[in-house]
Amino acid sequence: FLRSGSAANPVPRELVIRPVQGEEHRALDAVRRADGHWLRRWEATLPPDSLEHVPTFAQYVRRADIDHREGTGLIFGVQVDGAYVGQFSISNVHWGAMSTGMLGYWVLSEWAGRGLGSLAAALILDLVVGELGLHRVEVCVRPENERSLGVCRGLGLVEEGLRPRFMHIGGAWADHLAFFIDAESLPEGGLVRRRWGSSAID
């Protein structure tokens, strides 16, 4: 289900998507940093007048593990043939009357355009909405990020419209396009089955 980019990038033998905990975050972060030239322009930044501070890596890991235990966030590492190639995160989870969360993700440059982002997003949304009980998950994407827009539109997520100056990115407040999926709009059998057919999950 993943497209081969070239002879140097064959179709993988094994794709694994699983929660990341503890020191596993360090290995995943090293992969992200190594591809910083590709990913940095999409990363969130703190506005100059913010009273918050960038957490240390230890603080980040501690917070991520607490969120995992408390059900308020979940970070998935994506591995191809044993090597990390991306991260998908469910964050800002609120249960109760809202029962909502947000999906964010990054994929290494060598895997861009090969279908990995779409497949991983579909699997995770099927899990958190179809099985774990979140009612609604939002995805907010920069209008310039054509590949990420392609993921959302290709999966048939509902497009809500533009959110001006939604998040501080690369040193400035940036507009985002908002998409969502909820329990009512999740197709019967899930996103993976609708996009790739029953053979993808049988």
Side-chain angles (χ1 to χ4, degrees):
F1 306 101
L2 301 182
R3 297 183 292 276
S4 176
S6 66
N9 294 312
V11 175
R13 295 183 300 275
E14 182 180 58
L15 171 66
V16 175
I17 303 174
R18 64 178 182 83
V20 177
Q21 291 184 277
E23 284 302 304
E24 294 174 328
H25 287 283
R26 197 171 299 279
L28 185 55
D29 186 63
V31 170
R32 180 188 64 82
R33 289 177 180 275
D35 206 23
H37 69 284
W38 167 257
L39 299 169
R40 196 168 296 116
R41 61 178 172 156
W42 309 117
E43 293 179 351
T45 52
L46 289 178
D49 56 352
S50 175
L51 299 179
E52 299 183 36
H53 65 278
V54 177
T56 66
F57 192 75
Q59 290 171 330
Y60 165 79
V61 171
R62 204 158 42 241
R63 182 70 259 171
D65 286 351
I66 290 172
D67 288 344
H68 185 174
R69 289 195 301 271
E70 294 181 349
T72 55
L74 190 55
I75 296 175
F76 296 88
V78 180
Q79 293 179 314
V80 171
D81 295 335
Y84 282 119
V85 299
Q87 174 181 305
F88 284 67
S89 303
I90 300 294
S91 61
N92 296 333
V93 173
H94 298 276
W95 295 98
M98 293 187 68
S99 190
T100 187
M102 296 190 71
L103 173 65
Y105 48 84
W106 58 261
V107 173
L108 293 184
S109 55
E110 65 184 280
W111 281 94
R114 298 179 60 189
L116 178 67
S118 295
L119 179 57
L123 286 164
I124 290 168
L125 291 171
D126 282 350
L127 172 67
V128 298
V129 178
E131 297 184 37
L132 299 185
L134 277 181
H135 176 253
R136 173 188 170 103
V137 175
E138 292 187 355
V139 188
C140 293
V141 180
R142 291 277 300 277
E144 306 92 330
N145 193 338
E146 294 181 3
R147 292 194 185 278
S148 194
L149 291 176
V151 169
C152 296
R153 289 170 175 159
L155 293 178
L157 305 188
V158 181
E159 187 168 345
E160 289 190 295
L162 185 70
R163 293 187 180 176
R165 300 172 296 281
F166 177 71
M167 187 181 298
H168 204 264
I169 303 284
W173 291 105
D175 298 347
H176 283 66
L177 284 170
F179 298 82
F180 79 91
I181 189 167
D182 58 14
E184 288 80 5
S185 59
L186 184 72
E188 185 176 356
L191 292 169
V192 173
R193 183 182 293 272
R194 180 174 71 180
R195 177 75 179 270
W196 290 276
S198 59
S199 61
I201 53 178
D202 289 344

Tab-separated table of all heavy atoms in Angstrom, residues 72-94:
chain	number	residue	atom	x	y	z
A	72	THR	N	-4.717	11.670	27.968
A	72	THR	CA	-4.892	13.013	27.418
A	72	THR	C	-3.967	13.276	26.228
A	72	THR	O	-3.969	14.379	25.677
A	72	THR	CB	-4.630	14.075	28.498
A	72	THR	OG1	-3.323	13.868	29.064
A	72	THR	CG2	-5.677	13.983	29.601
A	73	GLY	N	-3.204	12.296	25.825
A	73	GLY	CA	-2.325	12.434	24.676
A	73	GLY	C	-1.650	11.115	24.373
A	73	GLY	O	-1.492	10.275	25.260
A	74	LEU	N	-1.269	10.934	23.120
A	74	LEU	CA	-0.641	9.672	22.720
A	74	LEU	C	0.263	9.946	21.530
A	74	LEU	O	-0.170	10.524	20.537
A	74	LEU	CB	-1.714	8.645	22.351
A	74	LEU	CG	-1.278	7.202	22.139
A	74	LEU	CD1	-0.531	6.657	23.352
A	74	LEU	CD2	-2.490	6.322	21.829
A	75	ILE	N	1.529	9.542	21.650
A	75	ILE	CA	2.509	9.728	20.585
A	75	ILE	C	2.835	8.374	19.970
A	75	ILE	O	3.218	7.437	20.680
A	75	ILE	CB	3.786	10.398	21.111
A	75	ILE	CG1	3.457	11.812	21.614
A	75	ILE	CG2	4.863	10.449	20.029
A	75	ILE	CD1	4.628	12.516	22.263
A	76	PHE	N	2.669	8.280	18.669
A	76	PHE	CA	2.968	7.047	17.943
A	76	PHE	C	4.251	7.222	17.133
A	76	PHE	O	4.405	8.226	16.424
A	76	PHE	CB	1.840	6.708	16.955
A	76	PHE	CG	0.516	6.406	17.582
A	76	PHE	CD1	-0.394	7.420	17.853
A	76	PHE	CD2	0.159	5.100	17.894
A	76	PHE	CE1	-1.628	7.140	18.415
A	76	PHE	CE2	-1.074	4.819	18.462
A	76	PHE	CZ	-1.964	5.837	18.726
A	77	GLY	N	5.136	6.256	17.201
A	77	GLY	CA	6.287	6.206	16.323
A	77	GLY	C	5.970	5.312	15.137
A	77	GLY	O	5.361	4.256	15.292
A	78	VAL	N	6.353	5.752	13.951
A	78	VAL	CA	6.145	4.974	12.732
A	78	VAL	C	7.496	4.398	12.321
A	78	VAL	O	8.461	5.147	12.113
A	78	VAL	CB	5.571	5.844	11.605
A	78	VAL	CG1	5.377	5.005	10.343
A	78	VAL	CG2	4.257	6.473	12.039
A	79	GLN	N	7.574	3.088	12.217
A	79	GLN	CA	8.813	2.412	11.838
A	79	GLN	C	8.614	1.641	10.536
A	79	GLN	O	7.598	0.960	10.362
A	79	GLN	CB	9.255	1.440	12.931
A	79	GLN	CG	9.685	2.113	14.223
A	79	GLN	CD	10.096	1.100	15.277
A	79	GLN	OE1	9.410	0.111	15.499
A	79	GLN	NE2	11.217	1.343	15.924
A	80	VAL	N	9.589	1.765	9.662
A	80	VAL	CA	9.630	0.978	8.438
A	80	VAL	C	10.870	0.089	8.501
A	80	VAL	O	11.986	0.593	8.634
A	80	VAL	CB	9.664	1.876	7.187
A	80	VAL	CG1	9.935	1.043	5.939
A	80	VAL	CG2	8.351	2.624	7.032
A	81	ASP	N	10.644	-1.215	8.465
A	81	ASP	CA	11.736	-2.189	8.557
A	81	ASP	C	12.658	-1.882	9.733
A	81	ASP	O	13.887	-1.924	9.638
A	81	ASP	CB	12.529	-2.231	7.254
A	81	ASP	CG	11.690	-2.747	6.095
A	81	ASP	OD1	10.716	-3.481	6.350
A	81	ASP	OD2	11.995	-2.407	4.940
A	82	GLY	N	12.045	-1.522	10.885
A	82	GLY	CA	12.789	-1.332	12.126
A	82	GLY	C	13.360	0.051	12.353
A	82	GLY	O	13.923	0.312	13.415
A	83	ALA	N	13.231	0.966	11.386
A	83	ALA	CA	13.784	2.313	11.531
A	83	ALA	C	12.657	3.341	11.617
A	83	ALA	O	11.692	3.282	10.858
A	83	ALA	CB	14.688	2.636	10.344
A	84	TYR	N	12.795	4.307	12.544
A	84	TYR	CA	11.799	5.364	12.657
A	84	TYR	C	11.796	6.237	11.404
A	84	TYR	O	12.849	6.661	10.916
A	84	TYR	CB	12.082	6.253	13.863
A	84	TYR	CG	11.677	5.651	15.180
A	84	TYR	CD1	12.622	5.413	16.173
A	84	TYR	CD2	10.351	5.334	15.448
A	84	TYR	CE1	12.257	4.861	17.398
A	84	TYR	CE2	9.982	4.784	16.662
A	84	TYR	CZ	10.934	4.551	17.629
A	84	TYR	OH	10.577	4.006	18.833
A	85	VAL	N	10.595	6.523	10.897
A	85	VAL	CA	10.448	7.387	9.718
A	85	VAL	C	9.407	8.485	9.934
A	85	VAL	O	9.188	9.313	9.052
A	85	VAL	CB	10.085	6.570	8.464
A	85	VAL	CG1	11.175	5.557	8.141
A	85	VAL	CG2	8.738	5.875	8.625
A	86	GLY	N	8.751	8.500	11.097
A	86	GLY	CA	7.739	9.519	11.328
A	86	GLY	C	7.126	9.427	12.707
A	86	GLY	O	7.353	8.468	13.452
A	87	GLN	N	6.356	10.455	13.036
A	87	GLN	CA	5.648	10.522	14.318
A	87	GLN	C	4.246	11.063	14.086
A	87	GLN	O	4.058	12.032	13.347
A	87	GLN	CB	6.394	11.438	15.282
A	87	GLN	CG	5.649	11.692	16.592
A	87	GLN	CD	6.417	12.628	17.500
A	87	GLN	OE1	7.567	12.396	17.826
A	87	GLN	NE2	5.764	13.723	17.895
A	88	PHE	N	3.262	10.440	14.721
A	88	PHE	CA	1.874	10.883	14.685
A	88	PHE	C	1.407	11.020	16.126
A	88	PHE	O	1.571	10.090	16.917
A	88	PHE	CB	1.004	9.884	13.914
A	88	PHE	CG	1.177	9.955	12.424
A	88	PHE	CD1	2.377	9.574	11.841
A	88	PHE	CD2	0.160	10.422	11.605
A	88	PHE	CE1	2.565	9.648	10.471
A	88	PHE	CE2	0.333	10.502	10.233
A	88	PHE	CZ	1.532	10.119	9.663
A	89	SER	N	0.835	12.166	16.461
A	89	SER	CA	0.470	12.447	17.851
A	89	SER	C	-0.993	12.846	17.965
A	89	SER	O	-1.490	13.653	17.171
A	89	SER	CB	1.340	13.583	18.404
A	89	SER	OG	2.709	13.272	18.294
A	90	ILE	N	-1.658	12.295	18.964
A	90	ILE	CA	-2.986	12.752	19.358
A	90	ILE	C	-2.804	13.584	20.615
A	90	ILE	O	-2.331	13.080	21.639
A	90	ILE	CB	-3.943	11.571	19.633
A	90	ILE	CG1	-4.105	10.700	18.390
A	90	ILE	CG2	-5.299	12.089	20.101
A	90	ILE	CD1	-4.810	11.379	17.229
A	91	SER	N	-3.119	14.868	20.542
A	91	SER	CA	-2.871	15.774	21.662
A	91	SER	C	-4.121	16.578	21.990
A	91	SER	O	-5.140	16.480	21.298
A	91	SER	CB	-1.716	16.721	21.325
A	91	SER	OG	-2.040	17.513	20.195
A	92	ASN	N	-4.017	17.384	23.059
A	92	ASN	CA	-5.137	18.239	23.495
A	92	ASN	C	-6.430	17.433	23.627
A	92	ASN	O	-7.503	17.889	23.213
A	92	ASN	CB	-5.348	19.394	22.514
A	92	ASN	CG	-4.170	20.332	22.465
A	92	ASN	OD1	-3.420	20.470	23.431
A	92	ASN	ND2	-3.972	20.977	21.329
A	93	VAL	N	-6.314	16.250	24.191
A	93	VAL	CA	-7.485	15.387	24.337
A	93	VAL	C	-8.336	15.859	25.515
A	93	VAL	O	-7.837	16.087	26.613
A	93	VAL	CB	-7.071	13.923	24.543
A	93	VAL	CG1	-8.287	13.052	24.858
A	93	VAL	CG2	-6.356	13.399	23.289
A	94	HIS	N	-9.633	16.034	25.252
A	94	HIS	CA	-10.608	16.358	26.297
A	94	HIS	C	-11.729	15.329	26.213
A	94	HIS	O	-12.356	15.170	25.161
A	94	HIS	CB	-11.177	17.761	26.089
A	94	HIS	CG	-10.154	18.845	26.165
A	94	HIS	ND1	-9.737	19.398	27.356
A	94	HIS	CD2	-9.438	19.465	25.191
A	94	HIS	CE1	-8.826	20.316	27.121
A	94	HIS	NE2	-8.620	20.371	25.812
